Amino acid sequence: MERFQKIAVPLLAIAVFLALWEFVVWINGWPPYKMAAPSDLPAAFIRFQDQFIGMGWQTLWRTVLGLALAVVFGTLLGMVMGFSRVARDALYPLLVGFNAVPKATLVPVIALIFIGQHDFNTVLMAFLISFFPIAVSVGIGLSTLEPEYRDILAALGASKLTIFRKIALPKTLPEFFGALKVSVTLAFIGTNLVEIVSPHGKGLGALFLSGQINSDYPLMFAVLIALAVLGILLYYGVVALERIFAGWAEREAQ
Amino acid sequence: MQNLIDIKGVTHAYRTRHGALPVLDNLDISVPQGEFCAVVGPSGCGKSTLTRLISGLMKPNAGEVWLSGEKITSPRKTVGMAFQNPVLLEWRTIIENVVLPLEIVAPSMPKAQANDRAMHLLEMVGLKGFESKRPSELSGGMRQRASLCRAIVHKPEVLIMDEPFGALDNFTREDLWQTMRDLRAAEPFTAVLITHDLRESVFLGDQVVVLSGRPARTQYVLNVDLPHDRTIDILYEKEAVGMLHVLREQIRIAQGRDGGTDGGAH
Ligand SMILES: Nc1ncnc2c1ncn2[C@@H]1O[C@H](COP(=O)(O)OP(=O)(O)OP(=O)(O)O)[C@@H](O)[C@H]1O
Ligand SMILES: [Mg+2]
């Protein structure tokens, strides 16, 4: 019953949302070139089926690769900031400043530096936009580790690395996954940002652009839906990983 | 008899924003092999600092700490520690928590053997049947029992405890005193127990060291000449009551107050 509810409720919500959308388009009598209705979308999906699969895959792997780099780099940076006060004091303002820059402004900069390197630019943007939450969460997780947690192993002469592996890392996992949920969405945005503005690009963003150029509104809306679906998939992928690696942090519902 | 723990003239100060904060001043404590040393003293006088110096987590500014004939300059595998906070790892089951020190001290020990050792201890402290539970499923007293098992699972020479029963209610605390007494009879460690509870110090200690207020010196050492198989009732008998009176008086002095006024004089 509970399982059924868990699946049925969100599906129902989506159905209600689509019905409302269809209704609003129908009641206003909007033609497809102004606003597409959900009923226009299956045709668009079928027409561009190969494109959706191919481009969707492009968007997916570049997002995941950018995110993976962000995880590695963000964790390392977080470790440096977590273990060294000096590094924390030195890096924090820099990081905050970097994070404050709207990433859309970086797109042309990157495009100029690495002309034509579309894959590289996309992955780079996904990475740049998403490592910050990870670095901060790991840094804070490590620097706020209660000394006793360290001492139970440090008193036995365990190395810093062992303490990190056996205690600090698992203990920060819940915060890490909290940050990863934010980062995965950011990486996805970063990928699409580059895809949409790059001429002759790849990915769902490029498909959206071609829809725009050809005034194919059903296609554009179909891309938006595809993006939403892919975004949900990515997000729940992270949730699944969280269940596996940090499931212990979940309290039983009261 | 050779002393297992020898603290000789240990002096330590923390560097703070307002300059040096002297915490320990020429401290001497000796604990013979197998004995149980309880340490009491006013709050903030430097007791936790002392535990970190004995375990080698910190080095004193001056003076020396010797464990079984060796001068301590860094942590070693022959030490076990327990704190007021049981610090169990939430992502491990109880038995996985207990075997943790073995993963550091004896990484090549077969898992089955490590688990047997842990199970043996868990049984002794009354946690049989809870070995696969998560720490959050246990009561505070049970968690502290598991924490004690973890502290001695690798058969340390020295067990250092910093107010391990401080956060428990009175009856649970007395239960754990008895558990500690039984562990002590079964396991060969020499112990240092920091406590705020004078009854606890008399029930468990072979000697009770009273530290002065900060910076802490050894102000008084009481030898507790009672048999090792003590029961809680012994605390209500004449001999123990006399010792408690003496200790109470020493604490008053350590707090910088005259005997009898108990703080009301200020
Ligand atoms: N890392 C540190 N840096 C600076 N000062 C410290 C540090 N650790 C402890 N102190 C100070 O040293 C003094 C002694 O601290 P310690 O924790 O050893 O006392 P304690 O006797 O264990 O106290 P309590 O009875 O409250 O547990 C305190 O005044 C404390 O503020
Ligand atoms: Mg203390």
Side-chain angles (χ1 to χ4, degrees):
Chain A
M1 182 62 210
E2 218 173 284
R3 276 195 90 81
F4 173 74
Q5 218 179 35
K6 255 191 160 159
I7 298 169
V9 169
L11 282 182
L12 194 70
I14 292 172
V16 169
F17 170 76
L18 291 177
L20 267 176
W21 178 3
E22 187 78 44
F23 177 74
V24 170
V25 174
W26 172 76
I27 198 100
N28 288 301
W30 284 326
Y33 55 79
K34 188 163 184 187
M35 172 96 184
S39 56
D40 299 327
L41 301 185
F45 275 121
I46 290 165
R47 206 155 29 100
F48 295 96
Q49 195 179 16
D50 295 344
Q51 292 269 35
F52 271 105
I53 291 171
M55 295 303 200
W57 167 244
Q58 292 290 334
T59 300
L60 183 67
W61 78 255
R62 292 191 292 203
T63 303
V64 171
L65 182 59
L67 185 67
L69 291 174
V71 166
V72 173
F73 180 74
T75 305
L76 288 176
L77 198 63
M79 278 170 74
V80 171
M81 291 198 301
F83 285 131
S84 154
R85 235 212 121 85
V86 180
R88 189 154 65 245
D89 292 345
L91 291 174
Y92 222 85
L94 266 174
L95 271 177
V96 172
F98 176 80
N99 192 52
V101 174
K103 294 301 170 298
T105 58
L106 288 184
V107 176
V109 178
I110 290 175
L112 269 180
I113 301 177
F114 309 103
I115 296 168
Q117 306 280 332
H118 183 59
D119 283 345
F120 180 82
N121 288 348
T122 315
V123 172
L124 181 65
M125 181 55 84
F127 159 74
L128 283 178
I129 202 171
S130 65
F131 78 87
F132 181 78
I134 296 172
V136 170
S137 81
V138 172
I140 289 179
L142 294 182
S143 63
T144 55
L145 185 74
E146 295 95 322
E148 282 117 333
Y149 277 92
R150 217 179 39 227
D151 289 350
I152 47 176
L153 288 192
L156 296 170
S159 68
K160 269 202 155 175
L161 189 68
T162 307
I163 296 172
F164 175 74
R165 200 162 47 84
K166 290 209 182 269
I167 297 190
L169 179 72
K171 200 164 163 50
T172 51
L173 273 183
E175 284 109 9
F176 169 83
F177 276 107
L180 195 60
K181 284 182 199 163
V182 177
S183 287
V184 69
T185 314
L186 288 176
F188 194 53
I189 293 173
T191 308
N192 282 286
L193 208 57
V194 177
E195 287 173 354
I196 289 182
V197 299
S198 304
H200 316 297
K202 284 181 281 186
L204 288 176
L207 194 57
F208 182 83
L209 191 64
S210 78
Q212 196 181 5
I213 291 167
N214 302 315
S215 303
D216 189 342
Y217 288 83
L219 174 59
M220 288 169 70
F221 277 100
V223 171
L224 290 186
I225 297 288
L227 283 172
V229 169
L230 203 54
I232 289 171
L233 276 181
L234 282 166
Y235 184 85
Y236 281 99
V238 173
V239 171
L241 289 176
E242 182 182 26
R243 285 263 163 81
I244 295 169
F245 291 108
W248 52 266
E250 240 174 74
R251 298 272 155 161
E252 295 292 321
Q254 301 293 312
Chain B
M1 206 193 319
Q2 202 211 336
N3 288 328
L4 194 101
I5 306 173
D6 255 320
I7 297 166
K8 299 180 188 164
V10 161
T11 299
H12 195 74
Y14 285 109
R15 269 171 303 192
T16 68
R17 243 171 290 169
H18 316 289
L21 177 75
V23 174
L24 301 177
D25 178 21
N26 206 7
L27 197 69
D28 290 311
I29 297 177
S30 295
V31 190
Q33 164 98 45
E35 290 227 330
F36 205 112
C37 173
V39 178
V40 297
S43 185
C45 75
K47 301 184 293 300
S48 297
T49 306
L50 177 64
T51 65
R52 296 175 60 77
L53 291 172
I54 302 174
S55 61
L57 286 167
M58 288 186 336
K59 269 186 268 183
N61 297 152
E64 295 171 352
V65 177
W66 291 72
L67 292 190
S68 54
E70 281 182 71
K71 194 176 154 187
I72 296 297
T73 52
S74 61
R76 51 193 54 215
K77 298 181 184 337
T78 55
V79 165
M81 285 193 98
F83 308 92
Q84 177 165 352
N85 178 349
V87 282
L88 297 175
L89 311 181
E90 206 48 62
W91 56 95
R92 287 178 172 234
T93 62
I94 292 301
I95 194 164
E96 286 168 349
N97 265 285
V98 174
V99 299
L100 179 69
L102 291 173
E103 294 171 14
I104 309 296
V105 172
S108 58
M109 183 188 276
K111 213 169 168 200
Q113 197 185 335
N115 283 342
D116 280 352
R117 165 78 180 146
M119 265 324 286
H120 171 70
L121 290 175
L122 286 171
E123 258 181 79
M124 272 179 39
V125 303
L127 283 182
K128 195 180 178 193
F130 291 91
E131 62 273 9
S132 336
K133 295 249 187 281
R134 299 273 167 184
S136 57
E137 298 175 272
L138 268 59
S139 71
M142 291 157 101
R143 277 182 230 173
Q144 199 50 262
R145 285 170 199 275
S147 165
L148 287 177
C149 290
R150 182 181 59 195
I152 59 174
V153 73
H154 54 301
K155 303 208 163 130
E157 284 182 324
V158 185
L159 172 59
I160 305 167
M161 294 169 281
D162 192 352
E163 299 185 41
F165 315 126
L168 304 173
D169 70 83
N170 240 326
F171 299 124
T172 310
R173 193 180 303 171
E174 289 181 1
D175 273 351
L176 268 128
W177 294 350
Q178 297 172 61
T179 303
M180 195 70 237
R181 170 199 65 200
D182 298 342
L183 282 177
R184 198 201 151 180
E187 300 276 327
F189 55 78
T190 304
V192 176
L193 169 77
I194 309 289
T195 177
H196 272 139
D197 187 329
L198 297 182
R199 294 167 72 238
E200 180 173 307
S201 71
V202 169
F203 182 79
L204 288 171
D206 295 310
Q207 58 167 316
V208 181
V209 175
V210 181
L211 299 183
S212 68
R214 197 179 68 226
R217 288 170 294 101
T218 312
Q219 176 181 307
Y220 185 81
V221 179
L222 175 84
N223 283 306
V224 185
D225 276 324
L226 298 172
H228 275 174
D229 55 346
R230 297 166 205 176
T231 58
I232 298 288
D233 290 334
I234 211 171
L235 291 173
Y236 299 94
E237 282 166 24
K238 213 173 123 205
E239 235 183 323
V241 172
M243 293 180 194
L244 287 169
H245 270 298
V246 171
L247 289 174
R248 190 71 204 103
E249 184 59 28
Q250 288 296 328
I251 291 290
R252 268 191 207 110
I253 296 169
Q255 288 174 323
R257 294 171 190 149
D258 313 344
T261 56
D262 216 7
H266 296 277

